[in-house]
Each structure stands twice: as structure tokens, then as C-alpha cells.
Amino acid sequence: MTGDFFKQPFLRRHIEILAPSDAEMQYVNEKIASELECGIVKSETLKSFIKIISRIREEEQIEADALGCTEFPLLLNDEVSLVPCLDTMQIQIQAIINEIISE
């Protein structure tokens, strides 16, 4: 959430990237490692993630949520999130397919 890999394409287009607070990032990282990476999807974890998204949306008026971890789509999608989800894995897959087709 603090690395530049996913941020660069947005920043090149002058789109501001925001991250959860340090405590929220620690919580999210713990849930990734202890639940999502093991295929465990808990409703209370979803509620907590939605609470984090809600706080950032209210305080920073975010327009979307970049799902920068391959496990996030197990929990979050456009149907449950308060803002549209940008599934970075699907975006990368589509870009690869588009590149292959264009050759």
C-alpha cells in the first residue's frame, strides 16, 4: 500500500493515491496473511474493510478503490464496496490479452 508499483500509472495521469492509516494498513496486512491468503473470507473482515473504505471516502472523497493485492477480490468487489473497485489483477490480465491480440 505504500510502494510505488501500482501508484505510478495513476500519478502519471495526475490522479492522487491515498492509503489507509498505519493502523488500518497493519490490520489489512494481518487479514491478508491470516485469512485471505488461506482462502478464508469472513463477513466481519469485510465489514472492517468497508469501514476503512467508508472513512477514507468521507474524509478524502475517494472515487475508487484499487485492489492492489491479488487476494482482495475474494472480499471486495463493486457489489459490496462503497466505491468502484479497480481489480489490478484483472486490469493487468486484460492488458496482456490486448497486447497479445494486437501483435
Side-chain angles (χ1 to χ4, degrees):
M1 287 175 266
T2 58
D4 285 343
F5 178 74
F6 288 115
K7 291 180 183 181
Q8 288 307 315
F10 294 101
L11 296 174
R12 282 194 297 272
R13 290 167 180 82
H14 307 288
I15 299 171
E16 183 180 8
I17 301 297
L18 302 167
S21 70
D22 289 343
E24 290 167 338
M25 280 193 279
Q26 184 176 359
Y27 173 81
V28 168
N29 286 330
E30 190 274 322
K31 292 302 178 179
I32 291 168
S34 67
E35 294 175 18
L36 297 176
E37 286 180 353
C38 301
I40 300 168
V41 179
K42 295 183 178 180
S43 61
E44 57 266 20
T45 301
L46 172 59
K47 288 176 188 175
S48 295
F49 277 43
I50 295 296
K51 185 176 176 181
I52 293 168
I53 294 168
S54 177
R55 181 198 63 77
I56 299 171
R57 185 183 73 165
E58 289 173 16
E59 292 179 10
E60 304 291 344
Q61 293 76 49
I62 60 170
E63 297 177 26
D65 184 14
L67 305 181
C69 174
T70 56
E71 288 82 15
F72 283 160
L74 294 172
L75 195 64
L76 292 167
N77 58 54
D78 288 344
E79 293 178 17
V80 299
S81 182
L82 302 170
V83 294
C85 292
L86 304 174
D87 184 341
T88 57
M89 181 174 57
Q90 286 302 317
I91 292 168
Q92 290 176 31
I93 290 169
Q94 190 60 54
I96 292 168
I97 291 170
N98 292 347
E99 184 66 26
I100 291 169
I101 291 172
S102 71
E103 292 181 1

